[in-house]
mmCIF file of all heavy atoms in Angstrom:
data_model
loop_
_atom_site.group_PDB
_atom_site.id
_atom_site.type_symbol
_atom_site.label_atom_id
_atom_site.label_comp_id
_atom_site.label_asym_id
_atom_site.label_seq_id
_atom_site.Cartn_x
_atom_site.Cartn_y
_atom_site.Cartn_z
ATOM 1 N N GLU A 1 0.858 -1.183 0.000
ATOM 2 C CA GLU A 1 0.000 0.000 0.000
ATOM 3 C C GLU A 1 0.895 1.234 0.000
ATOM 4 O O GLU A 1 1.580 1.512 0.977
ATOM 5 C CB GLU A 1 -0.916 -0.008 1.228
ATOM 6 C CG GLU A 1 -1.983 -1.081 1.204
ATOM 7 C CD GLU A 1 -3.018 -0.864 0.120
ATOM 8 O OE1 GLU A 1 -3.200 0.304 -0.294
ATOM 9 O OE2 GLU A 1 -3.618 -1.849 -0.323
ATOM 10 N N ILE A 2 0.882 1.983 -1.079
ATOM 11 C CA ILE A 2 1.792 3.122 -1.219
ATOM 12 C C ILE A 2 1.246 4.345 -0.493
ATOM 13 O O ILE A 2 1.836 4.863 0.442
ATOM 14 C CB ILE A 2 2.044 3.433 -2.700
ATOM 15 C CG1 ILE A 2 2.656 2.215 -3.387
ATOM 16 C CG2 ILE A 2 2.978 4.634 -2.822
ATOM 17 C CD1 ILE A 2 3.969 1.763 -2.794
ATOM 18 N N GLY A 3 0.095 4.802 -0.935
ATOM 19 C CA GLY A 3 -0.476 5.997 -0.310
ATOM 20 C C GLY A 3 0.303 7.257 -0.668
ATOM 21 O O GLY A 3 1.290 7.219 -1.405
ATOM 22 N N SER A 4 -0.123 8.376 -0.121
ATOM 23 C CA SER A 4 0.527 9.655 -0.421
ATOM 24 C C SER A 4 1.945 9.714 0.119
ATOM 25 O O SER A 4 2.829 10.360 -0.468
ATOM 26 C CB SER A 4 -0.300 10.807 0.164
ATOM 27 O OG SER A 4 -1.599 10.826 -0.387
ATOM 28 N N PHE A 5 2.191 9.033 1.251
ATOM 29 C CA PHE A 5 3.530 9.068 1.839
ATOM 30 C C PHE A 5 4.554 8.392 0.926
ATOM 31 O O PHE A 5 5.652 8.897 0.725
ATOM 32 C CB PHE A 5 3.510 8.382 3.204
ATOM 33 C CG PHE A 5 4.844 8.370 3.893
ATOM 34 C CD1 PHE A 5 5.327 9.507 4.511
ATOM 35 C CD2 PHE A 5 5.623 7.225 3.896
ATOM 36 C CE1 PHE A 5 6.569 9.501 5.146
ATOM 37 C CE2 PHE A 5 6.857 7.201 4.529
ATOM 38 C CZ PHE A 5 7.335 8.347 5.151
ATOM 39 N N GLY A 6 4.208 7.268 0.360
ATOM 40 C CA GLY A 6 5.125 6.574 -0.535
ATOM 41 C C GLY A 6 5.146 7.160 -1.928
ATOM 42 O O GLY A 6 6.102 6.947 -2.687
ATOM 43 N N ALA A 7 4.100 7.893 -2.309
ATOM 44 C CA ALA A 7 4.042 8.471 -3.650
ATOM 45 C C ALA A 7 5.054 9.588 -3.840
ATOM 46 O O ALA A 7 5.523 9.822 -4.953
ATOM 47 C CB ALA A 7 2.633 8.989 -3.930
ATOM 48 N N VAL A 8 5.407 10.289 -2.762
ATOM 49 C CA VAL A 8 6.360 11.402 -2.877
ATOM 50 C C VAL A 8 7.737 10.917 -3.318
ATOM 51 O O VAL A 8 8.287 11.428 -4.307
ATOM 52 C CB VAL A 8 6.436 12.185 -1.548
ATOM 53 C CG1 VAL A 8 7.547 13.234 -1.612
ATOM 54 C CG2 VAL A 8 5.100 12.844 -1.242
ATOM 55 N N PRO A 9 8.350 9.947 -2.626
ATOM 56 C CA PRO A 9 9.637 9.458 -3.129
ATOM 57 C C PRO A 9 9.529 8.816 -4.508
ATOM 58 O O PRO A 9 10.472 8.881 -5.304
ATOM 59 C CB PRO A 9 10.072 8.442 -2.073
ATOM 60 C CG PRO A 9 8.859 8.098 -1.311
ATOM 61 C CD PRO A 9 7.996 9.311 -1.350
ATOM 62 N N ALA A 10 8.390 8.190 -4.824
ATOM 63 C CA ALA A 10 8.206 7.614 -6.158
ATOM 64 C C ALA A 10 8.232 8.706 -7.225
ATOM 65 O O ALA A 10 8.822 8.534 -8.296
ATOM 66 C CB ALA A 10 6.895 6.843 -6.225
ATOM 67 N N ALA A 11 7.612 9.852 -6.933
ATOM 68 C CA ALA A 11 7.616 10.963 -7.883
ATOM 69 C C ALA A 11 9.020 11.545 -8.038
ATOM 70 O O ALA A 11 9.448 11.873 -9.154
ATOM 71 C CB ALA A 11 6.644 12.048 -7.412
ATOM 72 N N VAL A 12 9.739 11.665 -6.927
ATOM 73 C CA VAL A 12 11.106 12.203 -6.992
ATOM 74 C C VAL A 12 11.998 11.280 -7.808
ATOM 75 O O VAL A 12 12.783 11.734 -8.658
ATOM 76 C CB VAL A 12 11.667 12.388 -5.566
ATOM 77 C CG1 VAL A 12 13.141 12.780 -5.625
ATOM 78 C CG2 VAL A 12 10.866 13.444 -4.819
ATOM 79 N N ILE A 13 11.893 9.978 -7.569
ATOM 80 C CA ILE A 13 12.705 9.012 -8.319
ATOM 81 C C ILE A 13 12.360 9.066 -9.800
ATOM 82 O O ILE A 13 13.250 9.039 -10.661
ATOM 83 C CB ILE A 13 12.488 7.601 -7.757
ATOM 84 C CG1 ILE A 13 13.078 7.494 -6.352
ATOM 85 C CG2 ILE A 13 13.118 6.547 -8.671
ATOM 86 C CD1 ILE A 13 12.753 6.186 -5.654
ATOM 87 N N THR A 14 11.070 9.148 -10.121
ATOM 88 C CA THR A 14 10.650 9.209 -11.523
ATOM 89 C C THR A 14 11.243 10.415 -12.227
ATOM 90 O O THR A 14 11.759 10.313 -13.357
ATOM 91 C CB THR A 14 9.117 9.246 -11.611
ATOM 92 O OG1 THR A 14 8.570 8.083 -10.964
ATOM 93 C CG2 THR A 14 8.657 9.282 -13.052
ATOM 94 N N ALA A 15 11.188 11.570 -11.577
ATOM 95 C CA ALA A 15 11.725 12.791 -12.191
ATOM 96 C C ALA A 15 13.244 12.724 -12.312
ATOM 97 O O ALA A 15 13.816 13.120 -13.342
ATOM 98 C CB ALA A 15 11.308 14.005 -11.363
ATOM 99 N N ILE A 16 13.924 12.215 -11.287
ATOM 100 C CA ILE A 16 15.388 12.138 -11.320
ATOM 101 C C ILE A 16 15.862 11.189 -12.415
ATOM 102 O O ILE A 16 16.802 11.497 -13.170
ATOM 103 C CB ILE A 16 15.930 11.695 -9.952
ATOM 104 C CG1 ILE A 16 15.736 12.809 -8.923
ATOM 105 C CG2 ILE A 16 17.408 11.324 -10.051
ATOM 106 C CD1 ILE A 16 16.174 12.440 -7.522
ATOM 107 N N VAL A 17 15.207 10.038 -12.540
ATOM 108 C CA VAL A 17 15.579 9.099 -13.598
ATOM 109 C C VAL A 17 15.368 9.739 -14.971
ATOM 110 O O VAL A 17 16.179 9.555 -15.899
ATOM 111 C CB VAL A 17 14.763 7.798 -13.463
ATOM 112 C CG1 VAL A 17 14.999 6.888 -14.663
ATOM 113 C CG2 VAL A 17 15.135 7.069 -12.189
ATOM 114 N N GLY A 18 14.295 10.506 -15.115
ATOM 115 C CA GLY A 18 14.074 11.213 -16.371
ATOM 116 C C GLY A 18 15.180 12.208 -16.667
ATOM 117 O O GLY A 18 15.673 12.294 -17.801
ATOM 118 N N LEU A 19 15.595 12.965 -15.658
ATOM 119 C CA LEU A 19 16.655 13.954 -15.859
ATOM 120 C C LEU A 19 17.997 13.291 -16.154
ATOM 121 O O LEU A 19 18.826 13.850 -16.880
ATOM 122 C CB LEU A 19 16.765 14.847 -14.623
ATOM 123 C CG LEU A 19 15.549 15.750 -14.355
ATOM 124 C CD1 LEU A 19 15.736 16.503 -13.041
ATOM 125 C CD2 LEU A 19 15.336 16.731 -15.503
ATOM 126 N N LEU A 20 18.227 12.105 -15.603
ATOM 127 C CA LEU A 20 19.467 11.385 -15.911
ATOM 128 C C LEU A 20 19.543 11.031 -17.395
ATOM 129 O O LEU A 20 20.636 10.964 -17.964
ATOM 130 C CB LEU A 20 19.560 10.116 -15.067
ATOM 131 C CG LEU A 20 19.927 10.292 -13.590
ATOM 132 C CD1 LEU A 20 19.885 8.949 -12.871
ATOM 133 C CD2 LEU A 20 21.314 10.924 -13.447
ATOM 134 N N MET A 21 18.393 10.814 -18.023
ATOM 135 C CA MET A 21 18.400 10.479 -19.449
ATOM 136 C C MET A 21 18.883 11.638 -20.311
ATOM 137 O O MET A 21 19.487 11.426 -21.372
ATOM 138 C CB MET A 21 17.005 10.037 -19.897
ATOM 139 C CG MET A 21 16.634 8.641 -19.453
ATOM 140 S SD MET A 21 15.131 8.022 -20.237
ATOM 141 C CE MET A 21 13.887 8.906 -19.296
ATOM 142 N N VAL A 22 18.621 12.869 -19.911
ATOM 143 C CA VAL A 22 19.029 14.024 -20.719
ATOM 144 C C VAL A 22 20.301 14.671 -20.178
ATOM 145 O O VAL A 22 20.685 15.755 -20.615
ATOM 146 C CB VAL A 22 17.899 15.065 -20.786
ATOM 147 C CG1 VAL A 22 16.695 14.501 -21.531
ATOM 148 C CG2 VAL A 22 17.490 15.521 -19.384
ATOM 149 N N SER A 23 20.938 14.029 -19.214
ATOM 150 C CA SER A 23 22.190 14.557 -18.678
ATOM 151 C C SER A 23 23.334 14.266 -19.646
ATOM 152 O O SER A 23 23.174 13.529 -20.634
ATOM 153 C CB SER A 23 22.494 13.933 -17.310
ATOM 154 O OG SER A 23 22.799 12.551 -17.464
ATOM 155 N N ASN A 24 24.503 14.825 -19.355
ATOM 156 C CA ASN A 24 25.703 14.571 -20.145
ATOM 157 C C ASN A 24 26.610 13.529 -19.486
ATOM 158 O O ASN A 24 27.766 13.380 -19.885
ATOM 159 C CB ASN A 24 26.483 15.870 -20.373
ATOM 160 C CG ASN A 24 25.773 16.794 -21.340
ATOM 161 O OD1 ASN A 24 25.133 16.353 -22.290
ATOM 162 N ND2 ASN A 24 25.862 18.093 -21.087
ATOM 163 N N LEU A 25 26.092 12.830 -18.487
ATOM 164 C CA LEU A 25 26.866 11.782 -17.829
ATOM 165 C C LEU A 25 27.086 10.620 -18.793
ATOM 166 O O LEU A 25 26.213 10.288 -19.595
ATOM 167 C CB LEU A 25 26.137 11.288 -16.583
ATOM 168 C CG LEU A 25 25.923 12.337 -15.482
ATOM 169 C CD1 LEU A 25 25.018 11.789 -14.387
ATOM 170 C CD2 LEU A 25 27.256 12.774 -14.887
ATOM 171 N N ARG A 26 28.252 10.002 -18.704
ATOM 172 C CA ARG A 26 28.624 8.926 -19.614
ATOM 173 C C ARG A 26 28.408 7.568 -18.939
ATOM 174 O O ARG A 26 28.971 7.299 -17.878
ATOM 175 C CB ARG A 26 30.086 9.081 -20.049
ATOM 176 C CG ARG A 26 30.301 10.244 -20.997
ATOM 177 C CD ARG A 26 31.772 10.690 -21.011
ATOM 178 N NE ARG A 26 32.654 9.619 -21.427
ATOM 179 C CZ ARG A 26 33.020 9.382 -22.690
ATOM 180 N NH1 ARG A 26 32.549 10.163 -23.649
ATOM 181 N NH2 ARG A 26 33.855 8.407 -22.992
ATOM 182 N N TYR A 27 27.584 6.748 -19.571
ATOM 183 C CA TYR A 27 27.308 5.400 -19.101
ATOM 184 C C TYR A 27 27.936 4.388 -20.062
ATOM 185 O O TYR A 27 27.876 4.579 -21.283
ATOM 186 C CB TYR A 27 25.799 5.147 -19.041
ATOM 187 C CG TYR A 27 25.089 5.843 -17.907
ATOM 188 C CD1 TYR A 27 24.633 7.156 -18.041
ATOM 189 C CD2 TYR A 27 24.867 5.192 -16.701
ATOM 190 C CE1 TYR A 27 23.974 7.791 -17.005
ATOM 191 C CE2 TYR A 27 24.200 5.825 -15.658
ATOM 192 C CZ TYR A 27 23.761 7.124 -15.819
ATOM 193 O OH TYR A 27 23.107 7.758 -14.786
ATOM 194 N N PRO A 28 28.509 3.322 -19.558
ATOM 195 C CA PRO A 28 29.060 2.289 -20.450
ATOM 196 C C PRO A 28 27.945 1.619 -21.239
ATOM 197 O O PRO A 28 26.887 1.301 -20.695
ATOM 198 C CB PRO A 28 29.742 1.312 -19.489
ATOM 199 C CG PRO A 28 29.073 1.543 -18.163
ATOM 200 C CD PRO A 28 28.711 3.000 -18.131
ATOM 201 N N SER A 29 28.174 1.425 -22.536
ATOM 202 C CA SER A 29 27.164 0.811 -23.401
ATOM 203 C C SER A 29 27.343 -0.690 -23.539
ATOM 204 O O SER A 29 26.432 -1.377 -24.008
ATOM 205 C CB SER A 29 27.217 1.438 -24.794
ATOM 206 O OG SER A 29 28.470 1.163 -25.413
ATOM 207 N N PHE A 30 28.525 -1.201 -23.164
ATOM 208 C CA PHE A 30 28.858 -2.624 -23.266
ATOM 209 C C PHE A 30 28.807 -3.130 -24.711
ATOM 210 O O PHE A 30 28.720 -4.338 -24.943
ATOM 211 C CB PHE A 30 27.915 -3.473 -22.397
ATOM 212 C CG PHE A 30 27.908 -3.085 -20.949
ATOM 213 C CD1 PHE A 30 26.809 -2.452 -20.392
ATOM 214 C CD2 PHE A 30 29.013 -3.332 -20.146
ATOM 215 C CE1 PHE A 30 26.795 -2.089 -19.060
ATOM 216 C CE2 PHE A 30 29.005 -2.970 -18.807
ATOM 217 C CZ PHE A 30 27.904 -2.348 -18.261
ATOM 218 N N LYS A 31 28.851 -2.200 -25.679
ATOM 219 C CA LYS A 31 28.847 -2.618 -27.081
ATOM 220 C C LYS A 31 30.205 -3.148 -27.522
ATOM 221 O O LYS A 31 30.296 -3.790 -28.557
ATOM 222 C CB LYS A 31 28.428 -1.446 -27.974
ATOM 223 C CG LYS A 31 26.974 -1.036 -27.810
ATOM 224 C CD LYS A 31 26.591 0.064 -28.765
ATOM 225 C CE LYS A 31 25.114 0.424 -28.622
ATOM 226 N NZ LYS A 31 24.705 1.506 -29.561
ATOM 227 N N GLY A 32 31.244 -2.863 -26.727
ATOM 228 C CA GLY A 32 32.566 -3.355 -27.086
ATOM 229 C C GLY A 32 32.879 -4.732 -26.533
ATOM 230 O O GLY A 32 33.977 -5.254 -26.752
ATOM 231 N N VAL A 33 31.902 -5.328 -25.826
ATOM 232 C CA VAL A 33 32.133 -6.652 -25.250
ATOM 233 C C VAL A 33 32.142 -7.696 -26.367
ATOM 234 O O VAL A 33 31.209 -7.755 -27.190
ATOM 235 C CB VAL A 33 31.052 -6.992 -24.210
ATOM 236 C CG1 VAL A 33 31.263 -8.400 -23.667
ATOM 237 C CG2 VAL A 33 31.065 -5.968 -23.088
ATOM 238 N N ASP A 34 33.177 -8.498 -26.407
ATOM 239 C CA ASP A 34 33.304 -9.549 -27.405
ATOM 240 C C ASP A 34 32.767 -10.855 -26.821
ATOM 241 O O ASP A 34 33.443 -11.528 -26.042
ATOM 242 C CB ASP A 34 34.767 -9.708 -27.837
ATOM 243 C CG ASP A 34 34.934 -10.731 -28.950
ATOM 244 O OD1 ASP A 34 33.898 -11.164 -29.519
ATOM 245 O OD2 ASP A 34 36.082 -11.096 -29.264
ATOM 246 N N PHE A 35 31.538 -11.202 -27.202
ATOM 247 C CA PHE A 35 30.914 -12.402 -26.657
ATOM 248 C C PHE A 35 31.495 -13.679 -27.264
ATOM 249 O O PHE A 35 31.247 -14.769 -26.759
ATOM 250 C CB PHE A 35 29.398 -12.361 -26.887
ATOM 251 C CG PHE A 35 28.694 -11.319 -26.071
ATOM 252 C CD1 PHE A 35 28.379 -10.079 -26.616
ATOM 253 C CD2 PHE A 35 28.355 -11.563 -24.757
ATOM 254 C CE1 PHE A 35 27.732 -9.118 -25.860
ATOM 255 C CE2 PHE A 35 27.701 -10.602 -23.985
ATOM 256 C CZ PHE A 35 27.402 -9.381 -24.552
ATOM 257 N N ARG A 36 32.256 -13.548 -28.341
ATOM 258 C CA ARG A 36 32.874 -14.724 -28.955
ATOM 259 C C ARG A 36 34.281 -14.982 -28.422
ATOM 260 O O ARG A 36 34.867 -16.020 -28.701
ATOM 261 C CB ARG A 36 32.933 -14.541 -30.475
ATOM 262 C CG ARG A 36 31.564 -14.482 -31.150
ATOM 263 C CD ARG A 36 31.686 -14.173 -32.609
ATOM 264 N NE ARG A 36 32.269 -12.854 -32.832
ATOM 265 C CZ ARG A 36 32.479 -12.323 -34.031
ATOM 266 N NH1 ARG A 36 32.166 -13.024 -35.116
ATOM 267 N NH2 ARG A 36 33.004 -11.126 -34.152
ATOM 268 N N GLY A 37 34.821 -14.021 -27.670
ATOM 269 C CA GLY A 37 36.172 -14.170 -27.155
ATOM 270 C C GLY A 37 36.205 -14.963 -25.853
ATOM 271 O O GLY A 37 35.177 -15.339 -25.283
ATOM 272 N N ARG A 38 37.415 -15.195 -25.365
ATOM 273 C CA ARG A 38 37.613 -15.926 -24.117
ATOM 274 C C ARG A 38 37.609 -14.958 -22.929
ATOM 275 O O ARG A 38 38.060 -13.825 -23.056
ATOM 276 C CB ARG A 38 38.938 -16.695 -24.156
ATOM 277 C CG ARG A 38 38.942 -17.844 -25.153
ATOM 278 C CD ARG A 38 40.287 -18.547 -25.157
ATOM 279 N NE ARG A 38 40.289 -19.704 -26.039
ATOM 280 C CZ ARG A 38 39.938 -20.931 -25.665
ATOM 281 N NH1 ARG A 38 39.587 -21.158 -24.402
ATOM 282 N NH2 ARG A 38 39.945 -21.929 -26.522
ATOM 283 N N VAL A 39 37.102 -15.429 -21.807
ATOM 284 C CA VAL A 39 37.052 -14.629 -20.584
ATOM 285 C C VAL A 39 37.612 -15.477 -19.449
ATOM 286 O O VAL A 39 37.650 -16.719 -19.538
ATOM 287 C CB VAL A 39 35.602 -14.193 -20.243
ATOM 288 C CG1 VAL A 39 35.054 -13.273 -21.313
ATOM 289 C CG2 VAL A 39 34.701 -15.417 -20.079
ATOM 290 N N PRO A 40 38.052 -14.846 -18.358
ATOM 291 C CA PRO A 40 38.516 -15.629 -17.202
ATOM 292 C C PRO A 40 37.416 -16.530 -16.664
ATOM 293 O O PRO A 40 36.220 -16.212 -16.747
ATOM 294 C CB PRO A 40 38.903 -14.549 -16.185
ATOM 295 C CG PRO A 40 39.184 -13.339 -17.007
ATOM 296 C CD PRO A 40 38.255 -13.398 -18.178
#
């Protein structure tokens, strides 16, 4: 049961995650991972 008390942090998280999408922060894409190569 979320209610108004739990809805506030949910709204903050939703907005922050949205802003992270338009930020200039660099996230690894993992596109350089060679799935055919050998790993430890």
Side-chain angles (χ1 to χ4, degrees):
E1 291 293 335
I2 301 301
S4 300
F5 180 77
V8 173
V12 173
I13 292 173
T14 302
I16 290 177
V17 172
L19 294 175
L20 285 176
M21 285 191 283
V22 295
S23 68
N24 289 325
L25 297 172
R26 289 159 60 91
Y27 287 86
S29 64
F30 303 109
K31 292 183 178 180
V33 177
D34 184 11
F35 291 97
R36 295 175 297 181
R38 292 179 176 271
V39 296

